[in-house]
Amino acid sequence: MFKYWHIKKYGDNLASRLAKRYGEQHFYTASQIRATVYQCNYKPSFLPLGYLLYLEKSQLSDTVEREFPELDIQAYKNEMLDYLSKKQYSGRLYELKHS
């Protein structure tokens, strides 16, 4: 239950927090996403999800390799999509399917 809540919080609220802190943008930098996650009390273990949603795709691989070297980002994305499909939630996280 808590996992779902944390994932939903990333999908529903992180975009508005980023926009409030840094202005409305289509993508944000890794440092902006990371700072918002830590300073606004989001669960840091889901930081890769924040990167998937709000980091420019060209920067995603390098950032994840540097910060989470053991993480296969494609497998992580698939895991999130599978989990969310079981919960029948999409919201902002629906964009994961198209990225």
Side-chain angles (χ1 to χ4, degrees):
M1 179 175 144
F2 291 119
K3 179 179 180 178
Y4 175 70
W5 186 83
H6 289 295
I7 292 170
K8 189 172 185 283
K9 186 176 178 185
Y10 268 78
D12 292 344
N13 302 327
L14 186 55
S16 61
R17 289 287 188 139
L18 286 163
K20 185 176 182 180
R21 292 167 60 102
Y22 303 107
E24 193 73 33
Q25 301 175 39
H26 190 64
F27 295 108
Y28 295 91
T29 67
S31 60
Q32 289 172 329
I33 297 166
R34 187 180 326 100
T36 302
V37 164
Y38 281 95
Q39 293 171 4
C40 295
N41 298 318
Y42 288 81
K43 187 164 181 154
S45 61
F46 292 101
L47 182 56
L49 179 58
Y51 290 155
L52 274 170
L53 291 170
Y54 307 110
L55 187 63
E56 193 167 358
K57 303 308 170 213
S58 62
Q59 298 174 10
L60 182 62
S61 294
D62 290 340
T63 301
V64 171
E65 281 180 22
R66 186 175 50 255
E67 294 184 26
F68 302 95
E70 72 289 347
L71 181 68
D72 176 349
I73 195 64
Q74 189 60 45
Y76 181 83
K77 176 181 172 181
N78 292 337
E79 177 187 334
M80 289 292 123
L81 288 171
D82 289 343
Y83 182 79
L84 292 169
S85 69
K86 292 175 187 169
K87 293 290 187 178
Q88 299 179 346
Y89 170 80
S90 57
R92 165 84 176 172
L93 298 170
Y94 179 76
E95 293 180 13
L96 282 176
K97 293 179 184 177
H98 303 338
S99 62

